[in-house]
Amino acid sequence: MKIINGKETALTIRLELKEKVDKLKVSGNDVPGLVTILVGDNPASEVYVSSKIKACSEIGIRSKAEKLSSDTSEKELLNLVQKYNEDKNYHGILVQLPLPGHINEDKVIEAISPQKDVDGFHPISIGNLVIGKDTFVSCTPAGIHELFKRYNIETKGKHVVVVGRSNIVGKPIANIMLQKKAYANSIVTVCHSAAKELSYYTKQADILIAAMGSPEFIKGDMVKEGVVVIDVGINRIEDPTKPKGYRLVGDVAYDQVAPKSAFITPVPGGVGPMTIAMLLQNTYKAYLKINGMN
Ligand code: GUN
C-alpha cells in the first residue's frame, strides 16, 4: 500500500509555479492576478478563501479578496463580477460557493468571463471539457488527474468508478477520465445515491473515486484487493478527544480500505491540498492566455 501524499505534491506544484512567476517578474512582466468574491459569513467559506489568498501571496500572484455582506443583491454581485471581467489586473475570478439563497448561483457563474473562469464552473468550460478541448477544469478534479500523473498511476483501460455526481467533482472527473489522453483513457462508471446496491459497482473498481460527502461510507468489503482509492470527502465528525471537538474524515473508512489498496489518498493531506495548487495553476494559465503567451 502506498499513500498518495497530496500535501507534498501540492507543495511541489506551488514551488514550480513560484519559479514561473519569479521569471515573469525578472523579465519585467506583470504578474497573474486573482480576485476572490465571498458573500456572507459562512465560516467554512471564509477559511477556504483565506487559504486561497495566502497561497497566492506565497507564490507571488497578486490577489484581492472582495467580501460582501449576506444581504448583497444579485444585481450588485453581477455588477462586481462584470467590473472584474473588464479589469486587466485580474486574470482569474473566483466566486466562492455556496451563495446566499436569494442569489441564483447559475446566473453568477454564467456572468464570469470564460477567459477568467479559473474555477472551471462556467457552462462553456464544462462543455469544452466534455468535448475534449483545452479549457479550465475545476480544481479538485484537475488535482486528482495531476496526482495520477505525478504518481505515474496506470489508468488506460482501467475501470474508474466515481461515486457522486456533483457538478464540482463527480461529473468533471468522470469526463476527464473518459478522455483519450495520458493518465485518462479509462472505462468510467458513475454511481450515485439511487444505486440499489452500491458495492456491486465499487467492487469492480480498479480506481475508486469517492466524492459523495458521506463520512467513512466506503467500507473494506466494498472494494477489491489492489484498488487505487481517491477520497475526495472532507467531513467533520465529533471527537471530544480533539482540541477542536471534531476530526476530519473522508468518504472512505481509511483503516479498513487502506490495507486492500495499491494506492490511497489520506484525509486530510490527500486531494484537499491539490485543489488550491490547481487554482494557482489555472490562474497562471489564464494570465498566459489573456496575454497571448501560451
Ligand atoms: N465551494 C466549495 N468548493 C469550491 C470551489 O472549488 N470553488 C468555489 N468557488 N467554491 C467552492
Side-chain angles (χ1 to χ4, degrees):
M1 191 265 295
K2 196 164 181 329
I3 294 175
I4 298 179
N5 188 337
K7 196 172 169 190
E8 189 181 272
T9 308
L11 182 64
T12 306
I13 293 169
R14 283 153 70 152
L15 291 174
E16 289 167 4
L17 283 168
K18 182 174 186 305
E19 267 179 34
K20 290 179 184 167
V21 175
D22 284 346
K23 273 195 191 140
L24 289 174
K25 283 192 218 158
V26 168
S27 45
N29 283 297
D30 184 19
V31 293
L34 173 74
V35 60
T36 62
I37 304 176
L38 172 63
V39 186
D41 35 36
N42 176 325
S45 291
E46 283 180 357
V47 173
Y48 289 138
V49 168
S50 57
S51 322
K52 291 169 188 179
I53 295 287
K54 180 163 167 266
C56 284
S57 79
E58 281 168 6
I59 70 158
I61 287 183
R62 180 192 319 111
S63 65
K64 183 164 178 179
E66 290 278 5
K67 190 167 180 335
L68 308 179
S69 67
S70 56
D71 60 1
T72 300
S73 71
E74 184 178 283
K75 187 77 195 129
E76 285 171 293
L77 178 56
L78 290 170
N79 286 342
L80 188 66
V81 168
Q82 190 51 35
K83 181 183 130 187
Y84 284 106
N85 281 341
E86 289 160 19
D87 188 334
K88 293 199 162 32
N89 289 315
Y90 295 95
H91 309 87
I93 301 173
L94 180 145
V95 179
Q96 186 67 25
L97 304 181
L99 290 169
H102 65 279
I103 299 177
N104 181 331
E105 279 184 359
D106 290 343
K107 218 165 159 181
V108 175
I109 290 168
E110 284 170 38
I112 297 170
S113 161
Q115 278 195 308
K116 298 191 176 186
D117 179 32
V118 287
D119 252 332
F121 293 168
H122 193 288
I124 290 183
S125 305
I126 294 166
N128 281 331
L129 169 65
V130 173
I131 63 175
K133 278 172 56 176
D134 180 47
T135 187
F136 293 111
V137 178
S138 68
C139 303
T140 301
I144 295 169
H145 187 233
E146 193 68 29
L147 287 173
F148 291 144
K149 267 190 220 168
R150 302 224 175 202
Y151 277 82
N152 194 24
I153 291 171
E154 175 71 81
T155 57
K156 184 179 172 186
K158 300 288 181 191
H159 189 186
V160 171
V161 177
V162 179
V163 190
R165 56 177 156 183
S166 68
N167 290 339
I168 297 186
V169 183
K171 285 177 195 160
I173 192 63
N175 279 284
I176 293 170
M177 298 315 292
L178 199 53
Q179 301 298 331
K180 194 169 180 179
K181 64 176 187 182
Y183 299 101
N185 211 358
S186 308
I187 315 305
V188 180
T189 298
V190 184
C191 309
H192 45 77
S193 51
K196 283 208 179 75
E197 199 195 324
L198 192 64
S199 63
Y200 168 79
Y201 303 98
T202 56
K203 274 182 195 161
Q204 296 177 46
D206 299 314
I207 299 175
L208 180 69
I209 302 179
M212 63 288 202
S214 308
E216 301 181 316
F217 191 87
I218 304 290
K219 308 285 191 240
D221 62 2
M222 293 170 73
V223 300
K224 71 179 179 189
E225 214 44 69
V227 64
V228 173
V229 177
I230 305 294
D231 188 353
V232 186
I234 302 178
N235 309 288
R236 282 185 183 187
I237 59 169
E238 272 186 46
D239 185 342
T241 68
K242 301 283 171 193
K244 289 184 178 159
Y246 67 86
R247 67 192 160 91
L248 292 181
V249 299
D251 288 352
V252 173
Y254 187 88
D255 292 345
Q256 295 179 21
V257 174
K260 293 179 82 174
S261 309
F263 288 91
I264 187 165
T265 62
V267 176
V271 174
M274 292 298 289
T275 300
I276 293 185
M278 292 298 107
L279 173 67
L280 302 173
Q281 189 151 294
N282 278 349
T283 304
Y284 178 71
K285 178 173 167 170
Y287 168 92
L288 293 184
K289 279 195 151 180
I290 287 172
N291 290 298
M293 292 162 75
N294 58 331

